[in-house]
Amino acid sequence: MKTICLYFEIHQIIHLKRYRFFDIGTDHYYYDDYENERSISDIAERSYMPALNTLLDMIKEHGKYFKVAFSLSGVGIEQLEMHAPQVLEKLQELNNTGCVEFLAEPYSHGLSSLVNEECFAADVKKQMEKMKEYFGQTPTVLRNSSLIYSDDIGLQAAQMGFKGMLTEGAKHVLGWKSPHYVYNCALAPNLKLLLRDVKLSDDISLRFNNSDWEGYPLFADNYVNEIASHPEESQIINIFMELSALGIAQPLSSNILEFLRAIPGCAKEKGITFSTPTEICMKTKSVGALDVPDTLSWVDEERDVSCWLGNPMQREAFNKLYSVADRVRIANDSRINQDWDYLQASNNFRFMTTKPSNVGLDRGIYSSPFDAFTNYMNILGDFLNRVNSLYPESIDNEELEALLTTIRNQGEEIEMKEKEITRLQAKIEKIEAASDKLREKVEKAKAAPKKPAAKKPAAKKAE
């Protein structure tokens, strides 16, 4: 029996402001607050809220039959907290149905998995804490930024305790194999891999409203018929996309939500079910290992990381940023950490790409890749100066970690002694209270009038 795994990503970049070379050292705030508020409010109104309301209606209509999965980047959550809290409230409402799973992903939506294992692990752990805080779920399946994956990244994911990981069903990796099966990591057999069906996903997210496309117009029954037509032994149909595809990439006027709403009914008629990623990982056996020695992603025709690291500008910015990764992690300064999260976001490097792309790239405030590089490097220059001023370059990472460990240990020792002092003070107060009570009892006893002693009867005289 075939099952559909439907997954949506929610991520919102923190837009950087114009930052000149002469601002370095004088201005430590790097963000365009107006554009951040405008863009997230616009996406929430035109995409997130209508799409989430539709998904909630689908769950109410079909009950436990219909299921869906989401992952939210931490920086995206921060934008929603400030400018569109109704989206988080709607996600919590969806969570309460029991038909929604929330996945793990890097908090920053960054590229740390390519360069620094400890930084990547900390980034994912931070996002998982947000998932626990908002939805009471501890994610068991990992979705890396832009589905970035390799054998080495899979091994680390397994070591972090994940049951499964989402990635791209790229032709150059699969070869003759089908994305409609569960595979496992070549270096960690216990880690299941769910591969995105590129065509079925892009039919919705990229081509749905394209009147020049040979499949236009796309109807739900035809879409489900295509899924049903896959070989009988096909197990899993993984349909992964950004949530903003519903309303932004494909406008609401295209009837994209009506199309989505009709899919469960059509699938039920064909005996096709819906499952969450964890359900699939728990119930479905792997058909074999998938060898991915080189890094892949879901971006551009090459399905690699060249859109972020394909030219010298991008690599210079990337290497400069992650040159202080260990120092930032060791130091653990709250303001530095926040800027670190925002500067890591992969979109910052995407703006610098010189590659042609079939998907339109909005560079925001930048007029060219070089413009994006210059602005980012000015900001990065100030950020690096701040990190080095807090923790001088003359102190190497090992020495810095040792110093900070000593400081933390002393802090913990002081905290323990303060707790012990508090405990002893409480004990003293308890003893003094008992002593006062006893003293009061003694004083009362002394003050009480003494009763006269009873007289003994006189002895009878002998007759």
Side-chain angles (χ1 to χ4, degrees):
M1 180 183 291
K2 296 181 179 67
T3 190
I4 296 173
C5 180
L6 187 61
Y7 154 81
F8 295 101
E9 174 205 6
I10 298 177
H11 165 62
Q12 179 67 19
I13 186 176
I14 307 294
H15 292 276
L16 302 178
K17 68 181 182 182
R18 279 288 176 189
Y19 194 92
R20 301 172 305 159
F21 175 80
F22 299 103
D23 293 325
I24 297 174
T26 61
D27 182 3
H28 305 316
Y29 191 78
Y30 312 135
Y31 314 108
D32 187 337
D33 292 335
Y34 172 80
E35 182 58 24
N36 284 324
E37 181 176 2
R38 186 207 64 78
S39 59
I40 192 66
S41 300
D42 179 59
I43 292 174
E45 181 181 351
R46 293 167 53 203
S47 171
Y48 292 167
M49 289 306 293
L52 293 176
N53 281 323
T54 298
L55 291 168
L56 183 59
D57 290 343
M58 292 163 69
I59 291 173
K60 289 178 179 177
E61 180 181 353
H62 298 283
K64 298 293 182 181
Y65 168 76
F66 178 71
K67 297 171 184 177
V68 64
F70 296 95
S71 73
L72 292 78
S73 70
V75 295
I77 291 175
E78 290 186 19
Q79 289 293 286
L80 293 173
E81 287 172 335
M82 286 189 287
H83 306 303
Q86 70 273 18
V87 175
L88 292 171
E89 291 169 6
K90 185 60 64 175
L91 285 166
Q92 288 173 325
E93 189 177 351
L94 278 159
N95 180 53
N96 293 336
T97 65
C99 298
V100 176
E101 178 180 355
F102 290 91
L103 310 184
E105 75 162 70
Y107 189 96
S108 66
H109 200 269
L111 306 173
S112 56
S113 61
L114 302 176
V115 68
N116 191 302
E117 289 188 3
E118 291 180 329
C119 179
F120 176 60
D123 212 5
V124 172
K125 183 180 179 182
K126 187 176 179 180
Q127 187 267 359
M128 290 175 67
E129 290 170 355
K130 277 286 188 183
M131 296 301 99
K132 184 71 174 177
E133 175 189 341
Y134 272 101
F135 310 112
Q137 293 193 26
T138 300
T140 59
V141 174
L142 173 64
R143 181 262 185 204
N144 198 3
S145 310
S146 301
L147 298 189
I148 290 173
Y149 176 80
S150 69
D151 292 335
D152 291 332
I153 294 172
L155 175 60
Q156 185 179 358
Q159 292 169 343
M160 292 164 66
F162 289 106
K163 291 182 172 63
M165 193 165 176
L166 274 54
T167 189
E168 180 78 340
K171 289 181 181 179
H172 72 276
V173 171
L174 283 171
W176 57 268
K177 297 177 183 177
S178 166
H180 302 147
Y181 297 90
V182 174
Y183 297 91
N184 62 266
C185 173
L187 301 181
N190 291 334
L191 183 79
K192 304 282 183 67
L193 300 178
L194 305 186
L195 307 182
R196 174 178 178 260
D197 185 305
V198 177
K199 180 186 181 302
L200 289 171
S201 299
D202 289 352
D203 281 351
I204 299 176
S205 62
L206 296 182
R207 294 184 281 268
F208 184 81
N209 193 45
N210 182 3
S211 58
D212 295 328
W213 172 45
E214 60 181 13
Y216 180 88
L218 181 62
F219 296 103
D221 55 350
N222 293 336
Y223 188 77
V224 173
N225 286 340
E226 183 177 350
I227 293 173
S229 69
H230 286 294
E232 189 69 27
E233 58 273 15
S234 294
Q235 300 170 314
I236 315 298
I237 310 297
N238 296 313
I239 301 172
F240 306 158
M241 67 191 75
E242 297 175 356
L243 186 61
S244 60
L246 309 178
I248 302 298
Q250 309 304 321
L252 298 181
S253 59
S254 68
N255 294 322
I256 183 70
L257 295 182
E258 287 71 16
F259 165 82
L260 183 69
R261 193 189 300 269
I263 288 178
C266 296
K268 191 178 291 186
E269 290 178 3
K270 295 290 184 179
I272 300 170
T273 63
F274 286 82
S275 300
T276 62
T278 293
E279 287 177 340
I280 293 172
C281 291
M282 296 293 287
K283 296 177 182 178
T284 309
K285 291 183 178 180
S286 166
V287 297
L290 189 70
D291 292 309
V292 189
D294 298 319
T295 312
L296 67 96
S297 75
W298 72 355
V299 179
D300 291 346
E301 289 296 319
E302 295 84 357
R303 301 292 195 265
D304 58 14
V305 298
S306 58
C307 66
W308 304 290
L309 301 175
N311 65 48
M313 293 186 296
Q314 292 170 310
R315 291 191 291 273
E316 181 179 350
F318 179 82
N319 292 334
K320 279 277 188 183
L321 176 67
Y322 284 101
S323 68
V324 294
D326 290 330
R327 301 176 74 78
V328 171
R329 177 182 53 80
I330 293 167
N332 197 24
D333 178 270
S334 58
R335 181 60 194 277
I336 292 291
N337 285 346
Q338 184 181 53
D339 291 334
W340 172 249
D341 288 335
Y342 297 168
L343 293 177
Q344 278 192 90
S346 63
N347 312 62
N348 293 313
F349 302 98
R350 175 74 163 156
F351 290 146
M352 303 175 200
T353 186
T354 50
K355 285 178 58 182
S357 175
N358 293 332
V359 180
L361 174 61
D362 179 9
R363 296 189 194 271
I365 64 172
Y366 306 121
S367 58
S368 67
F370 182 75
D371 185 27
F373 170 74
T374 302
N375 200 68
Y376 184 82
M377 291 303 285
N378 286 341
I379 291 172
L380 188 56
D382 184 77
F383 177 76
L384 296 179
N385 287 343
R386 288 167 56 209
V387 172
N388 292 328
S389 66
L390 284 172
Y391 312 104
E393 283 184 287
S394 57
I395 305 176
D396 62 28
N397 287 344
E398 289 184 6
E399 188 178 353
L400 175 61
E401 186 160 19
L403 287 171
L404 292 174
T405 300
T406 301
I407 292 170
R408 279 194 291 269
N409 290 341
Q410 289 175 344
E412 289 171 3
E413 188 176 345
I414 291 170
E415 187 178 350
M416 287 176 62
K417 288 182 178 179
E418 287 176 346
K419 287 180 179 178
E420 181 66 14
I421 291 169
T422 303
R423 187 184 68 81
L424 291 173
Q425 285 176 338
K427 191 173 182 180
I428 291 169
E429 289 172 2
K430 190 175 179 181
I431 292 171
E432 287 178 346
S435 177
D436 291 342
K437 199 171 181 182
L438 183 62
R439 192 178 295 110
E440 185 180 344
K441 194 173 180 181
V442 170
E443 292 297 328
K444 283 183 179 178
K446 286 181 179 179
K450 293 183 179 178
K451 293 181 180 179
K455 291 183 179 180
K456 294 182 180 179
K460 292 182 179 180
K461 290 181 179 181
E463 292 181 359

